[in-house]
Amino acid sequence: MELIAASLSRRFGALLVDWLLCLLISRAFADPVEAPWLAPGLLLVVYGLFLGFFAQTLGMRLFSIRCVSMATGGPIGVPRAIMRGALLLLAVPALIMDKDGRGWHDKAAGSWVVTTAPAAS
C-alpha cells in the first residue's frame, strides 16, 4: 500500500477537532482563565498517548489520516509524539512546510501525516 500525504485541510480539521475536545474537557475541570495551561497540557497528553501508541487521535480518525514514522510506517512512540505535540503548540514549526507537506514538527519527530482512505474526488 502506497502512503499518500494528507492534505492540509484534513490535517487542520483533525487538529481543530482535537483542540476543541481538549478545550471542552479542560473546561469541565477548571476555569481557562485560572488554568490556561490545562488545554495545551491535555493536548500533549492526548498526542503522546494516541499518536505514540496508535498513530491516530480522534480528530485524525474522523478525517481519515494517521501520523506515522518515516522509518517504519508505524506509530512514532510516546517521546517523539510528545515532542511533536510541543512543537505543534508553538505553531511556527507547523506552519513552515516542505514540498511534501511536512512541517518542522514532523521533521523533528521523524513523522509523516498520511491518509488512511482514498481522498474523495
Side-chain angles (χ1 to χ4, degrees):
M1 180 174 116
E2 181 183 349
L3 296 177
I4 300 169
S7 69
L8 189 56
S9 60
R10 282 187 184 197
R11 292 173 63 135
F12 181 74
L15 177 61
L16 184 63
V17 168
D18 292 336
W19 180 244
L20 289 175
L21 287 172
C22 288
L23 285 173
L24 289 171
I25 293 167
S26 66
R27 176 73 176 163
F29 293 99
D31 181 358
V33 174
E34 294 176 12
W37 52 268
L38 192 55
L42 184 57
L43 187 70
L44 278 180
V45 170
V46 167
Y47 266 52
L49 295 176
F50 286 91
L51 288 186
F53 291 118
F54 309 111
Q56 213 173 30
T57 62
L58 178 60
M60 289 178 170
R61 184 163 176 84
L62 291 174
F63 281 85
S64 300
I65 60 176
R66 291 171 53 93
C67 180
V68 298
S69 168
M70 288 289 291
T72 66
I76 60 176
V78 173
R80 289 179 16 195
I82 291 172
M83 177 186 60
R84 183 184 185 278
L87 291 172
L88 180 65
L89 287 172
L90 295 175
V92 172
L95 295 174
I96 302 172
M97 295 184 178
D98 64 11
K99 62 180 172 52
D100 296 322
R102 292 180 66 222
W104 285 359
H105 63 305
D106 284 318
K107 290 182 181 207
S111 63
W112 188 28
V113 180
V114 296
T115 60
T116 59
S121 298

